[in-house]
Amino acid sequence: MSAKLALLVALGLFAAFYLAVLVRGARQARQRTGDRGTATPAGVATGFVTNFFDTLGIGSFATTTAIFRQWRMVRDERIPGTLNVGHTLPTIAQAFIFTTLVPVGAKTLIGMIAAAILGAWLGAGVVASWSRRRVQIGMGIALIAMALIMAWRTGVGDPTGGNLLELDGALLVLALAGNFFLGMLMTLGIGLYAPCMILVSLLGMNPKAAFPIMMGSCAFLMPVASARFVREQAFDVRAALGLLIGGVPAVLIAGLIVKSLPLTVVKWIVVVVVLYTATTLLLAARKREASEALGQPAPVPNEPGVATP
């Protein structure tokens, strides 16, 4: 069995593991709240739109966060978990479609994926226990970083990179450390795709090598991160199911039929929206801190069905 085939088999096993975790978590949430957790049309539409553009290179975490906050679909402290749980299956579908397209050295591919998984496991354990204010600050900073990376990629372009499809020695160590850190950031809601593309290019790899690395990394790390978020019940069941149900067909359409679109204008719009969302998160955290300092009840921003103060 080739390394790539073994990787795809393992990906199938991770998908089965994720589905088992999701079903158990949804049942626990139903027992705890009495809510059946049915996906809403708005959640399904969000999953379709964000995963369609994710497959074409826009990214889904930042755009989904902006939608969640604008329409108050998910409480702030549950957004990181909902992003990871809801976008897992669409990301696995992306990995199945694209991993076979680019030949990447097995040692580099598997090593970087394993590093991202470990980073996500450790990061999810931390983020799942964070307070709403800490999540707001963390996501606000992460989204600003994501917007700057996206603006740079759109305006200047990625580093030209080289022709390497395999890394060794110090370069491999840097690649593993970088993907470990990116895996941790995934749990805060900053997507791995754009920074991973930059990482592999700076290390002298062929930029096309980023696709199996970044999609494989996300496809393997997200079930692991999701398991911790589900265990802590730090996600919104309805919203996560909406992302899953809408996301899988969107990936199939974008990856197998559409394949590419001129997206420059869309990318600049996303940059503006993400910066706006980051600003609102940081302002909400500041209001919460001020209220707590005065001994007043903390504001409850973007709770579903509750107007933002």
Side-chain angles (χ1 to χ4, degrees):
M1 181 184 293
S2 67
K4 185 166 288 187
L5 179 58
L7 199 63
L8 293 175
V9 171
L11 186 59
L13 295 175
F14 267 64
F17 163 75
Y18 159 77
L19 290 173
V21 168
L22 180 61
V23 170
R24 184 172 66 250
R27 287 176 177 171
Q28 291 173 347
R30 183 183 303 175
Q31 293 172 354
R32 181 170 52 86
T33 64
D35 187 350
R36 294 184 62 83
T38 305
T40 64
V44 174
T46 299
F48 186 92
V49 171
T50 56
N51 282 283
F52 179 85
F53 286 108
D54 183 56
T55 309
L56 298 178
I58 293 293
S60 60
F61 274 28
T63 50
T64 307
T65 300
I67 293 170
F68 280 171
R69 297 209 84 248
Q70 180 63 34
W71 280 277
R72 299 190 291 275
M73 295 170 64
V74 179
R75 295 167 65 102
D76 284 341
E77 70 272 22
R78 292 182 178 270
I79 289 178
T82 304
L83 294 175
N84 280 274
V85 175
H87 284 304
T88 292
L89 202 58
T91 302
I92 290 175
Q94 289 181 33
F96 271 114
I97 292 172
F98 292 109
T99 296
T100 57
L101 297 180
V102 180
V104 179
K107 179 174 61 178
T108 302
L109 178 62
I110 295 173
M112 292 185 71
I113 288 174
I117 292 172
L118 181 58
W121 173 256
L122 296 176
V126 174
V127 175
S129 61
W130 277 9
S131 66
R132 177 177 299 178
R133 178 175 171 272
R134 184 170 292 184
V135 169
Q136 289 169 336
I137 294 173
M139 289 192 68
I141 295 172
L143 286 174
I144 289 174
M146 191 69 231
L148 293 175
I149 291 172
M150 186 175 292
W152 181 50
R153 291 186 68 206
T154 305
V156 179
D158 292 319
T160 55
N163 296 314
L164 296 177
L165 295 174
E166 177 73 273
L167 296 175
D168 290 296
L171 289 179
L172 180 59
V173 173
L174 288 174
L176 297 178
N179 233 34
F180 173 85
F181 180 67
L182 295 181
M184 293 190 69
L185 288 181
M186 278 282 291
T187 63
L188 253 182
I190 179 170
L192 182 140
Y193 284 13
C196 183
M197 174 77 76
I198 294 171
L199 172 66
V200 300
S201 297
L202 290 174
L203 291 173
M205 296 189 72
N206 187 323
K208 292 182 179 179
F211 286 89
I213 291 172
M214 65 191 186
M215 291 179 175
S217 295
C218 292
F220 279 99
L221 73 84
M222 290 175 71
V224 176
S226 296
R228 298 206 71 168
F229 282 118
V230 169
R231 186 178 68 184
E232 300 291 336
Q233 289 293 300
F235 75 111
D236 185 286
V237 177
R238 287 177 178 270
L241 290 177
L243 296 179
L244 185 158
I245 294 170
V248 172
V251 168
L252 298 178
I253 293 171
L256 300 177
I257 300 175
V258 178
K259 296 184 179 179
S260 65
L261 285 174
L263 296 171
T264 301
V265 174
V266 176
K267 289 179 180 178
W268 282 118
I269 293 173
V270 170
V271 168
V272 174
V273 171
V274 169
L275 286 174
Y276 169 78
T277 303
T279 302
T280 61
L281 278 164
L282 293 174
L283 289 175
R286 184 176 180 181
K287 288 181 180 178
R288 191 171 189 84
E289 181 183 23
S291 298
E292 291 173 351
L294 295 173
Q296 298 174 351
V300 184
N302 89 304
E303 183 174 358
V306 178
T308 301

